[in-house]
Amino acid sequence: MMNDRLAECYARAWRKTFDYKGCATCKEFWSFILVSTLPFLFAGAVLLVLHIWVDLWVIMFRGIGLASVMSFFSVIIIFPFMSLGIRRMHDIGRSGWWFGFLFIGSVFYFL
């Protein structure tokens, strides 16, 4: 488990999307967070470049398409993130509800 590559840990998180029992390693959790964050950083960089170098109408057209894709990805990624977070709580000896409370609290904070 400790010698797993980043891609293997990320794939394992997707395979266990609806598995809320068991444990998740620290490497599995953080590799999923890292790899899942990269598309958002890339999209932000693309939108920044479009904003600086391209006409406003092009930004509106391409920005809406990119924002739609990123919104869809955000909704899809919630399920493995919740599963992974709950299994990570099990790994450190806590109930999975701790992660649920943290997740729900952060959602209310951003609303």
Side-chain angles (χ1 to χ4, degrees):
M1 283 280 223
M2 289 303 291
N3 294 327
D4 289 343
R5 292 187 335 223
L6 185 72
E8 292 170 358
C9 292
Y10 184 75
R12 189 178 315 118
W14 277 103
R15 281 193 305 269
K16 294 183 177 181
T17 295
F18 298 107
D19 180 18
Y20 293 96
K21 297 198 183 298
C23 298
T25 64
C26 188
K27 185 174 183 178
E28 186 178 347
F29 180 79
W30 287 111
S31 66
F32 183 79
I33 298 298
L34 174 69
V35 174
S36 298
T37 303
L38 291 178
F40 290 103
L41 293 175
F42 178 73
V46 167
L47 288 175
L48 180 64
V49 168
L50 286 176
H51 180 66
I52 292 172
W53 295 103
V54 183
D55 189 35
L56 183 61
W57 291 104
V58 175
I59 294 171
M60 296 292 287
F61 175 71
R62 293 190 185 189
I64 289 172
L66 190 57
S68 300
V69 169
M70 295 313 296
S71 296
F72 179 72
F73 184 69
S74 298
V75 170
I76 295 297
I77 208 164
I78 287 174
F79 298 109
F81 177 68
M82 286 294 294
S83 170
L84 197 57
I86 289 170
R87 287 186 287 119
R88 184 70 193 133
M89 288 290 115
H90 292 164
D91 190 42
I92 62 172
R94 300 267 186 187
S95 170
W97 287 103
W98 281 96
F99 186 78
F101 293 142
L102 291 172
F103 183 74
I104 291 170
S106 64
V107 167
F108 283 126
Y109 176 75
F110 286 113
L111 290 179

